[in-house]
Amino acid sequence: MIEFSQVDFSYALEQPPLLKDVSFQIREGEFIAVLGRNASGKSTLARLFNGLLLPDRGNVKIDEMDTGNPEKLFAIRQKVGFLFPSPDRQLIADMVEDEVAFVLENLGLPASDIRERVDAALEMVAMENYRKHPPSLLSGGQKQKICIAGILSMRPKYMVLDEPTSRLDPAERIDILATLMKLKAEWGLTLIYITHHVEEIVAADRVFILQNCRADSFSLSELLEKQEYLLQLGIEPPEISRLIYLLNRDERFVIPYEVVSAADLVNFLCR
Amino acid sequence: MSIVLKNINYTYQINTPFMRKALHNINLYSGKNEILGILGGTGSGKTTLLQVITGLLTPDSGQIEIDEVDISQYRKKALNVFDKIGMVFQVPEEQIFEKKVFSEVAFGLRKKFLSAEEIRCKVEGALASVGLNADYCQRFTYNLSSGEKRRLAIASVLALETEYIFFDEPTAGLDYEGRVLLLDNIKKLNTEKRIGMIIVSHDPLEMFSVCHRCVLLKDGCLVFSGDLTDWMANYEILTEQGMVFPQSQQLVHELNRRGWDMKGGMKNFAEVAAQIIKCYDGRFH
Ligand SMILES: Nc1ncnc2c1ncn2[C@@H]1O[C@H](COP(=O)(O)OP(=O)(O)OP(=O)(O)O)[C@@H](O)[C@H]1O
Ligand SMILES: Nc1ncnc2c1ncn2[C@@H]1O[C@H](COP(=O)(O)OP(=O)(O)O)[C@@H](O)[C@H]1O
Ligand SMILES: [Mg+2]
Ligand SMILES: [Mg+2]
């Protein structure tokens, strides 16, 4: 379990605080989406999960381990995988498998273990046929999967992803999301997923919205009914939800907000 | 006044084992007051194309003319392409190099013989147009959030008021407000200042709403060109090419396939909703 208790955070005294008295718990296997306008503190919150930043007050605990305890930091970072925004720019190895093995070698694992973990991680992201490929020749989506495999090879329990799809095209986004959903289902991986694209997080268990130094928890369907509120917070509902919202203002339409794809809406309209 | 590309080819790492042909025989024309969209998946060659047009990359073969002058002549005539074309790079970090936000926006203005007051005015105006208030002027650029960096990169280019502006995936990382401001700026600069734009993106939703015409790049080849009505008329072929249409356009296509009679050329969900309500009337009353 991940637990934030009464966390305050600001970067500097002369800057306004970003988090005030933030408390929440995240259970294993949950998919938490994090939304909020630019500069609301999403990436800051992300960096508090694995001790890259420490709270000014209150504490952050990962499976009972406090991120403020330097002795626990190594164990915490093995449990919490962290995907930076545009990590594909940091790919350095000549071959995909070396890239994925890189972190493990630094952990000092025996070669046979590394081999096994690399194979398993590449298989999880369906990139096992690209072992010997130079990462520089892969598409954006494939590079992103290699970065995800690098993190998975450490067998984390929790994974924090900061805008993992912002550089991907629509087809690649769908692919990455499917991969993450598979890992959640098969592996019980806990996801903390930051994005500006609400259509990506329709499967989220809970949605955290950052605003006014708070992180409030909502269910997505509840939010989609309050579209003006979302827009005010700098968050755009999915295109189909916005369309449904306009249709529902005409009393002949009563379309539930669970409908999130064009295909489902077609079926609804043609009944 | 226009941008013309004739038979452009470009290969990365030529004559090495990593040789990669990124552009195949591209022919493209963009009129001066046009907002041209270039759509295509990652790796299709969009960024390469923009960099070739601005002379940042030199093509293997082919010709590029900006306002009737071949860009290979620009250097000889001591002209700078970037005096004509402002470019918002795909990755803000590759564009931002000043320490402070103010200096970043002011950088390109310095050589324009403006007074300090005029510069301050233009800097603050450009920042305001992307939703950053004057307090940002003294902030360090390196610890801005990703959306703030994107907005800064856009503001620095808008401040220059060049004749053309190129945008490479400009909305990545922007929140709703940031996207709306950007699209409004684009429309306004195009109609009021007649600035020509080329916008590169893999997101057809924004492109269809703002561009006069969009072309599709696939594996370095230009495979389609047309306005939204043309794209919709070729929905099936384009989908086979890997094109993912915006959800509201998918809806229109599928409803028409089932016998509805929705008009083409609806640019966004609001226009689509209005049409659905109208057709629904026709069908059931
Ligand atoms: N190292 C830092 N020092 C000082 N201020 C910072 C630092 N990093 C971020 N900030 C500021 O803190 C605020 C929150 O930044 P953060 O990166 O957490 O926002 P975000 O919600 O991730 O935004 P975006 O959607 O743009 O990525 C911003 O105003 C930003 O400028
Ligand atoms: N510096 C480079 N060296 C080798 N190949 C490159 C380089 N930059 C881009 N490429 C390759 O050229 C192709 C087109 O890339 P790019 O223009 O960046 O596409 P897009 O902008 O559409 O995503 C891709 O296959 C990419 O991998
Ligand atoms: Mg961020
Ligand atoms: Mg690109």
Side-chain angles (χ1 to χ4, degrees):
Chain A
M1 189 171 82
I2 294 179
E3 188 166 17
F4 277 56
S5 335
Q6 301 179 314
V7 169
D8 286 0
F9 183 85
S10 68
Y11 281 102
L13 281 176
E14 67 275 15
Q15 268 176 257
L18 281 169
L19 302 175
K20 260 195 258 168
D21 200 22
V22 168
S23 302
F24 57 75
Q25 298 178 343
I26 297 174
R27 292 179 298 277
E28 279 155 45
E30 269 196 295
F31 173 4
I32 304 289
V34 182
L35 306 176
R37 67 170 76 251
N38 289 143
S40 58
K42 301 179 297 298
S43 300
T44 304
L45 182 77
R47 292 192 283 260
L48 284 157
F49 275 91
N50 69 351
L52 279 174
L53 293 175
L54 296 174
D56 300 335
R57 189 181 72 98
N59 48 46
V60 176
K61 284 184 180 160
I62 312 294
D63 292 340
E64 308 288 319
M65 296 182 293
D66 195 317
T67 56
N69 179 351
E71 280 165 22
K72 297 285 186 212
L73 217 46
F74 187 71
I76 286 174
R77 296 215 171 134
Q78 281 186 296
K79 281 195 184 230
V80 185
F82 192 93
L83 191 72
F84 288 91
S86 37
D88 52 300
R89 293 176 67 216
Q90 293 153 23
L91 293 178
I92 39 169
D94 293 336
M95 260 193 276
V96 162
E97 59 179 12
D98 297 338
E99 190 67 53
V100 178
F102 184 69
V103 196
L104 298 177
E105 278 157 11
N106 284 349
L107 287 180
L109 289 178
S112 60
D113 271 19
I114 292 182
R115 175 91 234 161
E116 192 195 320
R117 284 190 181 208
V118 168
D119 286 355
L122 284 174
E123 218 164 284
M124 280 185 258
V125 300
M127 288 294 288
E128 63 271 30
N129 295 332
Y130 290 86
R131 274 192 194 91
K132 307 280 176 199
H133 247 70
S136 61
L137 298 187
L138 298 173
S139 76
Q142 288 173 325
K143 283 183 193 163
Q144 196 71 311
K145 286 206 229 173
I146 299 308
C147 298
I148 292 176
I151 297 169
L152 291 177
S153 70
M154 300 190 46
R155 312 246 160 115
K157 208 160 131 187
Y158 309 100
M159 194 150 166
V160 180
L161 304 107
D162 193 353
E163 298 196 45
T165 58
S166 69
R167 313 251 315 260
L168 304 184
D169 63 44
E172 292 175 327
R173 285 181 182 190
I174 293 167
D175 199 24
I176 292 283
L177 261 300
T179 302
L180 291 173
M181 287 308 105
K182 193 180 106 193
L183 292 169
K184 172 174 149 64
E186 289 178 9
W187 225 35
L189 190 66
T190 309
L191 300 170
I192 294 119
Y193 187 99
I194 298 172
T195 186
H196 290 291
H197 297 273
V198 178
E199 62 277 7
E200 294 175 354
I201 51 127
V202 289
D205 298 307
R206 284 189 290 156
V207 180
F208 287 3
I209 293 191
L210 289 196
Q211 59 136 344
N212 286 336
C213 307
R214 297 205 313 271
D216 296 323
S217 167
F218 298 87
S219 78
L220 186 62
S221 55
E222 160 192 13
L223 286 172
L224 292 180
E225 287 174 26
K226 302 191 249 178
Q227 299 208 352
E228 264 112 28
Y229 174 70
L230 271 184
L231 290 169
Q232 262 172 32
L233 297 180
I235 301 163
E236 183 168 33
E239 210 189 340
I240 286 293
S241 312
R242 295 200 76 182
L243 215 154
I244 292 173
Y245 189 76
L246 291 183
L247 292 179
N248 280 350
R249 292 209 303 212
D250 181 315
E251 74 261 3
R252 288 168 303 162
F253 297 96
V254 189
I255 306 168
Y257 286 96
E258 278 78 44
V259 173
V260 284
S261 74
D264 291 346
L265 184 52
V266 168
N267 290 331
F268 206 89
L269 289 171
C270 294
R271 272 208 311 231
Chain B
M1 305 290 261
S2 58
I3 292 174
V4 185
L5 274 65
K6 292 181 193 149
N7 303 317
I8 296 293
N9 287 283
Y10 185 83
T11 313
Y12 282 106
Q13 323 244 349
I14 203 157
N15 300 330
T16 74
F18 300 116
M19 183 156 122
R20 177 132 186 133
K21 186 143 189 194
L23 295 176
H24 294 265
N25 213 38
I26 303 283
N27 288 288
L28 187 65
Y29 171 88
S30 182
K32 170 109 183 157
N33 296 318
E34 188 175 32
I35 307 180
L36 175 72
I38 300 176
L39 276 165
T42 61
S44 58
K46 304 182 297 298
T47 298
T48 309
L49 186 59
L50 286 190
Q51 298 195 334
V52 164
I53 303 178
T54 48
L56 288 173
L57 298 173
T58 310
D60 312 344
S61 61
Q63 227 186 330
I64 299 149
E65 283 171 16
I66 299 168
D67 297 343
E68 279 95 50
V69 180
D70 195 297
I71 67 158
S72 59
Q73 299 296 310
Y74 270 74
R75 222 163 296 147
K76 283 186 205 149
K77 297 184 177 173
L79 295 171
N80 185 346
V81 179
F82 288 103
D83 288 338
K84 251 184 195 308
I85 303 177
M87 174 130 117
V88 179
F89 285 69
Q90 177 163 7
V91 184
E93 284 85 349
E94 287 170 12
Q95 179 181 336
I96 296 170
F97 52 91
E98 291 286 325
K99 246 168 81 177
K100 290 276 180 80
V101 168
F102 184 90
S103 339
E104 182 61 37
V105 185
F107 183 80
L109 294 170
R110 299 241 189 256
K111 53 183 171 181
K112 289 193 162 193
F113 309 107
L114 300 166
S115 70
E117 183 52 26
E118 283 169 315
I119 290 185
R120 195 182 58 83
C121 215
K122 281 188 189 290
V123 169
E124 288 181 3
L127 288 172
S129 75
V130 297
L132 299 178
N133 62 32
D135 295 346
Y136 275 96
C137 287
Q138 294 314 316
R139 288 280 310 267
F140 289 110
T141 53
Y142 56 81
N143 60 26
L144 295 175
S145 80
S146 42
E148 289 170 332
K149 278 184 191 151
R150 171 74 62 189
R151 289 169 187 234
L152 170 59
I154 294 169
S156 315
V157 171
L158 295 186
L160 298 175
E161 297 178 18
T162 44
E163 291 169 58
Y164 297 92
I165 304 179
F166 293 179
F167 297 91
D168 196 348
E169 311 269 6
T171 59
L174 288 181
D175 62 10
Y176 174 66
E177 179 211 50
R179 284 197 300 274
V180 170
L181 285 172
L182 173 65
L183 298 182
D184 285 352
N185 277 320
I186 288 176
K187 285 183 207 157
K188 202 165 134 221
L189 289 169
N190 180 255
T191 45
E192 289 175 11
K193 303 250 162 90
R194 326 265 312 145
I195 293 180
M197 323 245 183
I198 299 184
I199 311 173
V200 153
S201 171
H202 45 236
D203 187 350
L205 179 59
E206 292 148 4
M207 297 290 264
F208 286 147
S209 76
V210 73
C211 297
H212 299 129
R213 179 168 67 101
C214 289
V215 302
L216 178 63
L217 266 186
K218 191 176 186 236
D219 302 329
C221 300
L222 226 162
V223 295
F224 192 78
S225 165
D227 64 13
L228 180 54
T229 314
D230 303 325
W231 281 72
M232 289 303 281
N234 290 281
Y235 186 97
E236 258 124 28
I237 306 166
L238 289 165
T239 303
E240 271 166 40
Q241 299 265 7
M243 167 75 192
V244 181
F245 277 85
Q247 293 257 343
S248 54
Q249 308 295 350
Q250 291 180 24
L251 184 76
V252 171
H253 177 78
E254 189 53 31
L255 288 174
N256 279 342
R257 219 179 52 85
R258 301 218 191 167
W260 286 46
D261 183 25
M262 310 246 291
K263 303 282 173 294
M266 288 165 289
K267 282 187 183 249
N268 54 45
F269 71 92
E271 290 178 29
V272 172
Q275 270 282 320
I276 290 178
I277 290 173
K278 213 162 123 212
C279 289
Y280 205 74
D281 276 338
R283 291 172 67 79
F284 297 101
H285 293 275

